[in-house]
């Protein structure tokens, strides 16, 4: 009987969820934006799915994520419990800020999501359509102010491409960069700027509430459930998809990297994460391993070419 009880206790212990080490996720921007939302969504799903018992999120804003990136690379070396959210915006910021620390200084794990850009104006604006905005841009590029995320990021690149497609000098655009989605949104809602640009998910509730007017989205085709034309339909040959990734610290062993990759794969394939994607309006662009590293190299080269083309990088 004694052996039976011991065996039962042991079996019960083995049946308990085997939690991975606790994680701290760095969101290299202020609360409210896409990176912050991604980090907090990861936090929720990892804990909900029993992938990690305790996940903390820390915001380290500034310079398009390059401050958080530099801090992460220098302070977390060899730490398998630290993760960093990044993406297309960070790639652009590294180039425009001529950052000495790049994504080569961390351990890229996986691309997680994709999101199309949305161009909005306050509901009180006289601008009713994308054509109206382009007309104003052509008339006086400097008089049209745009609120968006970090300089050189996806929002900035999209505005530059819109200007170029409209026949306007991209270097003349009046782009105001904000390091957090909340600040940019406040400026747009307060009519402090002409228009705003960000991922659709960051504007969705205000659009549905009637506080913002959605002029266009940057997808190749209309998005189901979103009542807005594409930029292409508006006569502008522009398609842009923002993407977000997760990276681990530099200096990890192969075993540590494999364990983190396995945890992130569990997140990406969970029903809870699929629900998050649906709720946020994010595309599932999960890609990991060598395939992701190859794609990342291509994306960095393509981003550099675009930034040079619109005058943001020499």
């Amino acid at each position: 009987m004694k052996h039976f009880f011991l065996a039962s206790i042991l079996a019960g212990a083995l049946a308990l969820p085997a939690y991975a080490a606790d994680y701290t996720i760095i969101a290299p921007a202020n609360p409210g934006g896409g990176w912050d939302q991604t980090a907090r969504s990861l936090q929720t799903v990892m804990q909900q799915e029993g992938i990690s018992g305790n996940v903390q999120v820390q915001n380290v804003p500034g310079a398009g994520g390059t401050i958080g990136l530099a801090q992460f690379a220098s302070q977390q070396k060899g730490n398998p419990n630290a993760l960093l959210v990044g993406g297309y915006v960070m790639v652009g910021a590294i180039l425009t800020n001529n950052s000495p620390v790049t994504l080569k200084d961390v351990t890229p794990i996986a691309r997680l999501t994709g999101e199309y850009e949305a161009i909005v104006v306050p509901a009180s604006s006289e601008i009713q359509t994308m054509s109206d905005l382009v007309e104003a841009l052509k008339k006086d590029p400097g008089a049209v102010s745009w609120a968006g995320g970090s300089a050189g990021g996806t929002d900035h690149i999209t505005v530059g491409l819109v200007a170029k497609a409209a026949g306007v000098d991209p270097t003349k655009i009046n782009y105001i960069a904000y390091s957090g989605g909340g600040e940019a949104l406040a400026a747009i809602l307060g009519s402090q700027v002409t228009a705003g640009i960000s991922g659709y998910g960051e504007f969705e509730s205000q659009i549905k509430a009637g506080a913002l007017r959605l002029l266009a989205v940057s997808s190749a085709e209309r998005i189901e459930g979103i009542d807005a034309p594409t930029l292409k339909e508006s006569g502008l040959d522009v398609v842009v998809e923002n993407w977000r990734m997760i990276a681990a610290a530099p200096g990890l062993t192969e075993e540590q990297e494999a364990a983190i990759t396995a945890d992130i794969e569990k997140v990406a394939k969970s029903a809870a994460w699929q629900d998050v994607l649906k709720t946020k309006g994010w595309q599932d662009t999960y890609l990991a391993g060598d395939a992701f590293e190859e794609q990342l190299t291509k994306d960095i080269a393509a981003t550099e070419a675009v930034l040079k083309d619109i005058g943001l990088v020499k």
Side-chain angles (χ1 to χ4, degrees), residues 18-258:
Y19 286 123
D22 295 343
Y23 283 112
T24 295
I25 305 175
I26 305 300
N30 284 323
W35 285 341
D36 181 66
Q37 288 183 40
T38 302
R40 293 182 194 280
S41 297
L42 282 167
Q43 177 188 41
T44 300
V45 173
M46 285 177 123
Q47 293 178 158
Q48 214 173 316
E49 296 290 309
I51 294 164
S52 179
N54 182 29
V55 182
Q56 301 297 319
V57 173
Q58 290 179 7
N59 294 88
V60 184
T66 56
I67 290 174
L69 172 67
Q71 192 180 107
F72 183 80
S74 65
Q75 295 180 5
Q76 302 299 336
K77 189 172 183 181
N79 181 2
N81 309 115
L83 299 173
L84 174 77
V85 173
Y88 192 2
V89 172
M90 187 177 280
V91 170
I94 287 167
L95 293 163
T96 53
N97 291 315
N98 200 19
S99 172
V101 180
T102 72
L103 291 174
K104 289 180 181 177
D105 296 301
V106 296
T107 306
I109 296 294
R111 185 182 66 193
L112 293 171
T113 65
E115 184 177 25
Y116 294 110
E117 295 286 284
I119 295 174
V120 299
V121 292
S124 58
S125 173
E126 293 179 359
I127 294 168
Q128 298 291 320
T129 64
M130 193 65 205
S131 296
D132 292 344
L133 185 59
V134 168
E135 194 178 318
L137 191 64
K138 285 180 175 178
K139 189 176 177 182
D140 186 354
V144 176
S145 53
W146 303 77
S150 308
T154 323
D155 304 341
H156 199 170
I157 286 171
T158 306
V159 173
L161 291 173
V162 163
K164 192 179 176 194
V168 174
D169 181 353
T171 62
K172 299 277 176 69
I173 59 173
N174 180 8
Y175 183 83
I176 303 163
Y178 293 86
S179 63
E183 294 173 19
L185 183 60
I188 302 159
L189 290 169
S191 298
Q192 295 165 28
V193 292
T194 311
I197 181 163
S198 189
Y200 175 78
E202 291 184 43
F203 294 142
E204 184 177 29
S205 59
Q206 287 77 21
I207 291 166
K208 288 183 174 176
L212 293 177
R213 181 179 302 122
L214 177 59
L215 302 183
V217 289
S218 68
S219 53
E221 296 172 356
R222 284 209 179 204
I223 303 170
E224 189 181 343
I226 297 177
D227 184 23
T230 65
L231 288 169
K232 293 191 93 165
E233 280 180 81
S234 307
L236 302 162
D237 191 14
V238 176
V239 176
V240 177
E241 184 179 20
N242 188 11
W243 52 265
R244 299 190 184 105
M245 61 173 274
I246 193 82
L252 300 181
T253 65
E254 285 184 16
E255 291 77 12
Q256 288 170 330
E257 186 178 341

